[in-house]
Amino acid sequence: MTSVQARRLPDTGDTPDTEDTTVADIRAGVRQLCDRFGDEYWRGVDALDAYPEEFVAALTEAGWLSVLVPEEYGGGGLGLVEASAVLGEINASGASSAACHAQMYVMAALLRHGSAQQKQRWLPEIAAGRVRLQSFGVTEPDAGSDSTAIRTRAERTEAGWLVNGQKIWTSRFQHSDLMLLLARTTPKDQVMRRTDGLSLFLVDLREAGDAIEARPIRTMMNHATNEVFFRDLELPADALVGTEDAGLRHVFDGMNAERILIAAECVGDGRWFCERAARYATDRVVFGRPIGANQGVQFPIAHAYAAVTAADLVQRRAARLFDAGLPAAEAANMAKLLASEASWEAANACMDAHGGYGFAAEFDVERKFRETRLYKTAPVNNNLVLAYLGQHVLGMPRSY
């Protein structure tokens, strides 16, 4: 066994001055759980386009998906720094946290804007694993990244709200008990600001019946995503999360958390790609020498590792800012941009190093390659991140 095989490439920030004992212990605990679900498990799930139910159940039972729930509700009472460690380590192990990451990033909107009654009712159930909050209904076919163009309508009734409309790219609908739903409550031509008029709702999918129809969308990766239709869905008055017509601002809190956590996943992917690439390039002998001795193979892997390391530092900074309650939008967007670009660079370096074997399912590179590519496009396209930085950070004219 070579020296590369005998060790795991280090976590890019796992040093005493940058990571405390709690986070290091979390990484070790998550890695120990993930080791029970090796490459063969994920290969099988991917081949069947199935939901990794056993893996998600194990994470839930171990308490890793409830780290953001306050201790008073039975959760870990931790922040995005620790949640990032959970999701990042899952991906670094070769697994995919996309099956369960929404429970982390959706939590931010509920924690910051949910009523005391909503928190008391739902958070203990989520923390105990009796209820899953995995579904987020925002994007629409004719709205895309422009959330202000959302047309799904929630109208007031004597009993609460009546919802009609359509969403797309709504993932894990079939594997969730609750959904956070963004709907228009005031017509667009009647609001003062274009970001007003939208409200956020917590939907109990178990009570929706035929009022919600989900149609699965087959994609290049196993992501359990859907097109969802709402037809006269009745919601109680207390389903409203936060302030009426201010739902988009509430969602933005969740979106910053989402981008920070997705960045952590990308860093985890990047670590996996660099590790696998370095191992293969060390072991693979062609023309009498390891291919990793060739700079054309070695340098792209090394460069990708440097990019992943840099993205990791920005991601950690964004998580700390968010946990401290400080403005985190700039850092969150940069973290998502840099981490998704770094993981994609690492994916290509790994694929190139493996050559033809990279396309073989048994090597797992092609599966992770497909999975990490998503994050250059979702949950926000990197071009929109650049537009945000150009306009809101650098003060240049609006580009769209």
Side-chain angles (χ1 to χ4, degrees):
M1 181 179 292
T2 68
S3 59
V4 175
Q5 286 180 300
R7 66 180 177 86
R8 176 175 295 127
L9 289 183
D11 169 11
T12 52
D14 192 4
T15 57
D17 61 330
T18 60
E19 185 159 88
D20 63 26
T21 303
T22 299
V23 175
D25 287 345
I26 287 173
R27 291 189 186 279
V30 171
R31 174 66 70 158
Q32 186 176 26
L33 185 151
C34 289
D35 285 345
R36 292 160 42 194
F37 300 86
D39 292 341
E40 187 174 349
Y41 172 82
W42 289 100
R43 211 174 297 141
V45 167
D46 186 68
L48 295 173
D49 203 24
Y51 187 75
E53 185 64 48
E54 302 87 354
F55 176 70
V56 175
L59 284 174
T60 302
E61 183 178 354
W64 295 124
L65 297 186
S66 61
V67 296
L68 291 175
V69 177
E71 289 183 287
E72 63 189 285
Y73 300 111
L78 301 173
L80 281 195
V81 168
E82 294 79 12
S84 296
V86 172
L87 297 183
E89 200 62 34
I90 290 172
N91 280 31
S93 77
S96 173
S97 55
C100 52
H101 59 189
Q103 190 143 305
M104 297 283 199
Y105 62 71
V106 170
M107 193 65 63
L110 181 59
L111 290 175
R112 293 195 172 194
H113 303 288
S115 67
Q117 292 78 10
Q118 287 171 331
K119 294 176 185 178
Q120 188 61 52
R121 179 182 180 187
W122 296 117
L123 293 181
E125 296 295 294
I126 294 171
R130 291 186 292 269
V131 168
R132 285 181 182 171
L133 173 57
Q134 287 285 0
S135 196
F136 200 17
V138 177
T139 307
E140 297 185 3
D142 296 325
S145 298
D146 182 7
S147 298
T148 63
I150 282 175
R151 299 171 62 183
T152 295
R153 186 87 168 98
E155 299 178 288
R156 277 192 176 276
T157 65
E158 292 184 4
W161 303 89
L162 189 67
V163 179
N164 283 279
Q166 177 183 1
K167 298 293 180 180
I168 198 168
W169 309 123
T170 303
S171 300
R172 296 161 301 276
F173 173 89
Q174 294 87 347
H175 309 286
S176 185
D177 301 300
L178 303 176
M179 170 195 283
L180 268 183
L181 172 67
L182 188 66
R184 181 160 294 285
T185 43
T186 298
K188 193 173 181 179
D189 58 2
Q190 296 179 22
V191 296
M192 295 288 293
R193 295 178 294 185
R194 62 195 299 266
T195 54
D196 290 342
L198 297 166
S199 299
L200 193 61
F201 298 90
L202 189 59
V203 181
D204 189 339
L205 298 175
R206 299 166 300 178
E207 299 180 353
D210 295 336
I212 302 182
E213 177 192 0
R215 299 176 185 173
I217 301 173
R218 184 70 182 271
T219 63
M220 64 183 282
M221 62 283 173
N222 180 17
H223 206 66
T225 197
N226 304 269
E227 189 172 18
V228 180
F229 299 86
F230 303 87
R231 301 185 182 95
D232 292 335
L233 172 65
E234 297 180 0
L235 298 178
D238 61 4
L240 178 69
V241 176
T243 305
E244 183 178 347
D245 286 346
L248 189 56
R249 292 194 291 278
H250 300 340
V251 166
F252 283 156
D253 275 345
M255 285 182 173
N256 284 334
E258 179 184 52
R259 290 167 193 184
I260 293 168
L261 292 171
I262 291 296
E265 294 179 43
C266 290
V267 168
D269 281 343
R271 288 169 52 201
W272 186 92
F273 285 119
C274 290
E275 176 190 337
R276 289 295 177 100
R279 180 193 305 175
Y280 186 80
T282 299
D283 292 342
R284 176 67 166 164
V285 176
V286 178
F287 298 119
R289 58 185 284 169
I291 62 172
N294 300 309
Q295 293 179 354
V297 175
Q298 183 182 119
F299 283 10
I301 299 170
H303 192 279
Y305 179 76
V308 170
T309 302
D312 189 22
L313 296 175
V314 178
Q315 190 280 333
R316 290 169 187 259
R317 176 175 177 270
R320 289 195 297 269
L321 287 172
F322 189 94
D323 286 345
L326 298 172
E330 176 184 346
N333 277 280
M334 288 194 300
K336 189 272 175 186
L337 171 73
L338 296 174
S340 62
E341 296 284 353
S343 69
W344 184 235
E345 179 182 348
N348 281 278
C350 188
M351 180 68 81
D352 288 342
H354 280 76
Y357 287 115
F359 296 89
E362 65 179 292
F363 281 76
D364 300 292
V365 176
E366 60 85 27
R367 171 176 60 84
K368 293 286 284 184
F369 186 90
R370 288 183 280 112
E371 290 172 353
T372 210
R373 176 58 181 85
L374 172 66
Y375 298 125
K376 282 168 58 72
T377 302
V380 59
N381 192 293
N382 282 353
N383 285 334
L384 282 178
V385 172
L386 293 173
Y388 174 88
L389 295 173
Q391 179 186 350
H392 296 284
V393 178
L394 298 175
M396 291 187 283
R398 184 182 179 92
S399 63
Y400 64 94

